[in-house]
């Protein structure tokens, strides 16, 4: 018997999706198709929640680091406090990262910037500094090979060569955004 | 020639150099992060102490008395002076305090501060790769 879907108070949202995705005794092809589609939609929503949760955690870590290094000379060597603009740019960068791309670790720079470090091992890493300029300084180490560069971040989309650099070090593939 | 600390006035390649860690974000299980070795923007130098991982208590006392005071102290990044010179930087004694030295000769491009930072990051990354993490 088909389970009735209440139309009272029905709204586009998770409640409807859950009800459609719930296994039932659907007897028609159409009902089965709807159930399959609803399951896929729920998977996407829950995956997005997981990803957003990870990004939310990363953003919290940025704020915590900013708080920890909010005073001048936080390291005893004359370092500058982390600048508010560095925090906001770091957060924007986190949000701009492609879904599924590994999230970085964070560290304070002595000039008030924040380093975002993708570390695969001692000899393979990609490090990006976010400061008060929209030009980001980065460096990478890949075994005995290394390099550095500068890339502009407009606050919304990371330059492809930065994404490719990170992806290469972290062995991350995403053909959809040109990283293979 | 000998400095007031009793150390030589030139730092040998084999000498260990310690850079103290005041945040847990400065290291992970892989080791020390590159930002640890970046220079102070005010003087373009990286402050270090001419001491290795042992004796551990002596290293800790140096940190507390001459470097970090009562700030959080998680450990030290220890590298060799030769590792610093391998990336074409220099290590020069600067006392007092006793055993203090500076990593110097970081390149600066006054017309492009971001490129300067990127260049310095690459060198800091290479030094960090060779550094040993010492945790207190």
């Amino acid at each position: 018997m088909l389970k009735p879907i209440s139309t009272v108070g029905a709204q586009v949202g998770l409640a409807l999706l859950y009800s459609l995705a719930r296994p039932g005794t659907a007897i028609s092809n159409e009902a089965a198709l709807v159930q399959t589609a609803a399951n896929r939609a729920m998977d996407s929503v829950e995956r997005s929640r997981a990803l957003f949760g990870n990004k939310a955690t990363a953003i919290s870590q940025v704020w915590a680091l900013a708080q920890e290094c909010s005073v001048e000379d936080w390291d005893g060597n004359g370092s500058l406090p982390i600048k508010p603009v560095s925090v906001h740019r770091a957060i924007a960068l986190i949000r701009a990262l492609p879904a599924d791309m590994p999230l970085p670790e964070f560290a304070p720079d002595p000039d008030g910037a924040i380093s975002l470090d993708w570390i695969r091992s001692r000899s393979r890493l990609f490090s990006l500094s976010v400061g008060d300029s929209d030009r980001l300084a980065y460096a990478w180490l890949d075994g005995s090979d290394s390099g550095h560069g500068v890339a502009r971040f407009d606050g919304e989309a990371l330059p492809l060569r930065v994404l490719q650099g990170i992806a290469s070090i972290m062995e991350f593939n995403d053909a959809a955004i040109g990283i293979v | 020639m000998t400095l007031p600390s009793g150390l030589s006035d030139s730092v040998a390649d084999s000498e260990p150099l310690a850079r103290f860690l005041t945040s847990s974000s400065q290291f992970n299980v892989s080791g020390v992060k590159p930002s640890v070795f970046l220079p102070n923007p005010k003087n373009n130098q990286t402050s270090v102490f001419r001491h290795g991982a042992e004796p551990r208590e002596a290293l800790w006392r140096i940190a507390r008395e001459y470097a970090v005071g009562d700030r959080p102290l998680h450990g030290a990044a220890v590298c060799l002076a030769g590792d610093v010179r391998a990336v074409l930087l220099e290590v020069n004694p600067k006392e007092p305090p006793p055993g203090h030295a500076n990593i110097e000769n970081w390149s600066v491009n006054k017309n492009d501060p971001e490129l300067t930072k990127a260049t310095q990051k690459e060198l800091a990354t290479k030094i960090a790769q060779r550094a040993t993490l010492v945790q207190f």
Side-chain angles (χ1 to χ4, degrees):
Chain A
M1 183 192 308
L2 289 173
K3 293 192 178 177
I5 299 168
S6 171
T7 56
V8 176
Q11 54 186 325
V12 177
L14 293 174
L16 179 59
L17 270 177
Y18 269 123
S19 65
L20 291 171
R22 198 168 53 226
T25 53
I27 57 173
S28 70
N29 287 337
E30 290 79 4
L33 284 171
V34 167
Q35 189 178 87
T36 300
N39 273 312
R40 284 184 184 154
M42 279 311 307
D43 285 344
S44 178
V45 166
E46 286 166 0
R47 195 154 158 268
S48 297
R49 274 183 162 173
L51 290 170
F52 182 76
N54 289 339
K55 285 195 177 183
T57 299
I59 291 170
S60 295
Q61 290 171 349
V62 170
W63 283 113
L65 185 64
Q67 178 64 30
E68 183 185 3
C69 303
S70 60
V71 295
E72 180 124 2
D73 198 25
W74 50 264
D75 64 351
N77 290 310
S79 56
L80 297 177
I82 288 180
K83 303 171 185 176
V85 64
S86 301
V87 173
H88 294 296
R89 282 191 202 279
I91 291 172
L93 194 147
I94 291 166
R95 290 183 171 140
L97 289 171
D100 288 343
M101 176 165 265
L103 292 170
E105 298 180 40
F106 308 98
D109 285 356
D111 62 357
I114 297 174
S115 272
L116 280 65
D117 298 318
W118 284 264
I119 302 171
R120 186 158 183 86
S121 69
R122 284 180 69 90
S123 59
R124 299 190 72 194
L125 67 93
F126 190 100
S127 180
L128 183 69
S129 279
V130 183
D132 53 9
S133 167
D134 62 354
R135 298 178 74 228
L136 310 177
Y138 65 86
W140 51 269
L141 182 69
D142 193 355
S144 58
D145 203 9
S146 66
H148 64 269
V150 178
R152 195 174 299 275
F153 175 50
D154 62 5
E156 292 187 4
L158 277 167
L160 186 59
R161 58 195 166 100
V162 170
L163 292 174
Q164 289 173 331
I166 298 168
S168 175
I169 293 297
M170 303 302 289
E171 297 181 0
F172 170 76
N173 298 323
D174 192 333
I177 52 172
I179 300 174
V180 177
Chain B
M1 219 166 109
T2 306
L3 295 169
S5 62
L7 295 170
S8 167
D9 66 347
S10 68
V11 182
D13 284 353
S14 59
E15 277 195 54
L17 305 172
R19 176 90 168 145
F20 296 108
L21 309 174
T22 56
S23 170
S24 61
S25 65
Q26 293 176 302
F27 59 93
N28 66 6
V29 293
S30 294
V32 177
K33 294 184 184 176
S35 58
V36 168
F37 288 99
L38 287 173
N40 183 323
K42 297 172 187 169
N43 59 16
N44 205 40
Q45 296 171 342
T46 303
S47 174
V48 293
F49 282 84
R50 297 163 70 179
H51 196 286
E54 304 298 341
R56 195 67 56 92
E57 198 177 308
L59 182 65
W60 185 90
R61 276 203 302 271
I62 289 172
R64 281 293 179 214
E65 192 168 341
Y66 301 122
V68 307
D70 57 1
R71 294 172 182 80
L73 177 60
H74 294 268
V78 177
C79 66
L80 296 179
D83 294 331
V84 174
R85 294 190 174 113
V87 297
L88 305 183
L89 297 174
E90 193 45 71
V91 184
N92 291 314
K94 180 68 175 174
E95 298 186 0
H100 182 254
N102 284 318
I103 298 176
E104 301 173 342
N105 205 33
W106 295 90
S107 66
V108 174
N109 183 333
K110 291 182 180 174
N111 295 323
D112 196 336
E114 287 79 29
L115 184 58
T116 294
K117 180 74 177 281
T119 306
Q120 293 175 349
K121 276 179 80 75
E122 182 180 356
L123 301 184
T125 300
K126 289 181 172 180
I127 298 172
Q129 181 195 19
R130 305 296 299 270
T132 300
L133 172 63
V134 177
Q135 289 184 266
F136 292 132

